[in-house]
Each structure stands twice: as structure tokens, then as C-alpha cells.
């Protein structure tokens, strides 16, 4: 007698603060193993890691192996991890040259689809997306409204950097 069991597929869990920025471009927090199955559905060609240190076999074998297995180009862009101050005193954890480098990657379609991430999917990733929006001629109010959806606040330093 044949069983009539229904197989329920494994969950698809996106990274924290995940969103589609535009077609073929996604943002979020540092991906964990629970997110890999979801990320596989995006058929990514590139991941841009906005982190103090690169993702290596030694620092995170799981993510490094995931990228290798799925032939994802993992690009590291160094960012300052020392931005623990909140509110008005919070500094900018990425310099202009690094932002330009990331924007060049994002605007080059050979890298699509792309997932950009920082540790928590907040300030650093939001700064990159805000600069991309600025290039797309979004108005400042719309840019800052999107920014605060992923970061706790948009302070004076953030605004000045984006402008």
C-alpha cells in the first residue's frame, strides 16, 4: 500500500534585511547557512561583502564554500568595523573611493545578479544603495526614507556623505 504523504519543501529563508534594490540587485545582512537555499534561487553571479575583513576559507568556511560551489564571485570591499556609536556621533564606515568601486561593480551588468551585504544589512549597505539612488536622480527625501527602513537612523554624517 502506497503512502499518501505530502512532502513539504524546506523553508526558503532570506537574509535579514533582504530586499530587491532593482532587478538583478539585492541587499541584506551577512548570509548564514539558513539563507543559502534562498540565495541559490537568485542564481547570483556576484556577492559584494562590505566588511572589515575578507570572507576566506579560514574566516567563514561555510560562506566561502557556498560561493565556490555556486560559482559566485565573492568581492570584498574593506569597511571600518568600528562604528558602534549611535545617533549623531556615528561615523561613516566606508570611504568615497570604496563607494565608487562598489558602484562600478553594481553598474557593470556582467556581475548581475548581485547581492551586496554588510554585517547587519544596515548602515554600510544603506550608504551604497543611497549613493546608487543618488546616481539615479532620486530625491533626497525618498533616499533617506529608504535608508531608515534598513538602518536605525540617518544622521547628519550619513546625509552629508550621500549628498
Amino acid at each position: 500500500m502506497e503512502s499518501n504523504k505530502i512532502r513539504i519543501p524546506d523553508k526558503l529563508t532570506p537574509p535579514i534585511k533582504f530586499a530587491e534594490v532593482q532587478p538583478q540587485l539585492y541587499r541584506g545582512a551577512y548570509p548564514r547557512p539558513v539563507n543559502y537555499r534562498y540565495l541559490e534561487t537568485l542564481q547570483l553571479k556576484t556577492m559584494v561583502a562590505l566588511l572589515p575583513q575578507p570572507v576566506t576559507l579560514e574566516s567563514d568556511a561555510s560562506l566561502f564554500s557556498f560561493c565556490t560551489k555556486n560559482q559566485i564571485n565573492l568581492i570584498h570591499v574593506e569597511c571600518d568595523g568600528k562604528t558602534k556609536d549611535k545617533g549623531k556621533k556615528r561615523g561613516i564606515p566606508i570611504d568615497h573611493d570604496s563607494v565608487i568601486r562598489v558602484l562600478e561593480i553594481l553598474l557593470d551588468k556582467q556581475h548581475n545578479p548581485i547581492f551586496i551585504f554588510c554585517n547587519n544589512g544596515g548602515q554600510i549597505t544603506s550608504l551604497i544603495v543611497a549613493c546608487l539612488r543618488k546616481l539615479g536622480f532620486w530625491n533626497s527625501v525618498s533616499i533617506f526614507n529608504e535608508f531608515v527602513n534598513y538602518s536605525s537612523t540617518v544622521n547628519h554624517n550619513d546625509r552629508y556623505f550621500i549628498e
Side-chain angles (χ1 to χ4, degrees), residues 28-156:
Y30 195 105
R32 307 292 177 208
V34 70
N35 309 129
Y36 297 166
R37 190 163 171 271
Y38 181 85
L39 292 173
E40 283 175 341
T41 69
L42 304 176
Q43 299 179 332
L44 299 171
K45 279 179 79 176
T46 308
M47 283 189 176
V48 179
L50 307 166
L51 304 167
Q53 302 296 321
V55 176
T56 64
L57 191 56
E58 293 75 29
S59 67
D60 186 343
S62 176
L63 181 57
F64 187 85
S65 297
F66 170 78
C67 290
T68 302
K69 173 187 158 211
N70 290 283
Q71 298 178 330
I72 297 170
N73 183 19
L74 182 58
I75 300 171
H76 173 250
V77 176
E78 186 175 346
C79 300
D80 185 7
K82 301 173 187 170
T83 58
K84 294 187 173 131
D85 294 335
K86 298 289 181 195
K88 293 180 183 177
K89 295 181 181 180
R90 181 179 71 197
I92 300 299
I94 188 168
D95 61 48
H96 286 90
D97 289 341
S98 295
V99 171
I100 290 168
R101 179 173 172 232
V102 174
L103 291 174
E104 287 173 344
I105 293 165
L106 300 184
L107 294 171
D108 185 345
K109 292 184 187 238
Q110 75 173 343
H111 297 289
N112 289 355
I114 303 172
F115 177 64
I116 58 171
F117 66 94
C118 58
N119 278 325
N120 65 9
Q123 183 192 18
I124 302 170
T125 301
S126 294
L127 284 168
I128 297 293
V129 172
C131 291
L132 181 67
R133 300 301 194 202
K134 190 77 174 163
L135 286 176
F137 300 106
W138 279 35
N139 70 54
S140 294
V141 172
S142 297
I143 292 170
F144 299 141
N145 283 341
E146 182 181 46
F147 192 102
V148 298
N149 284 331
Y150 301 97
S151 188
S152 55
T153 64
V154 56
N155 67 26
H156 174 74

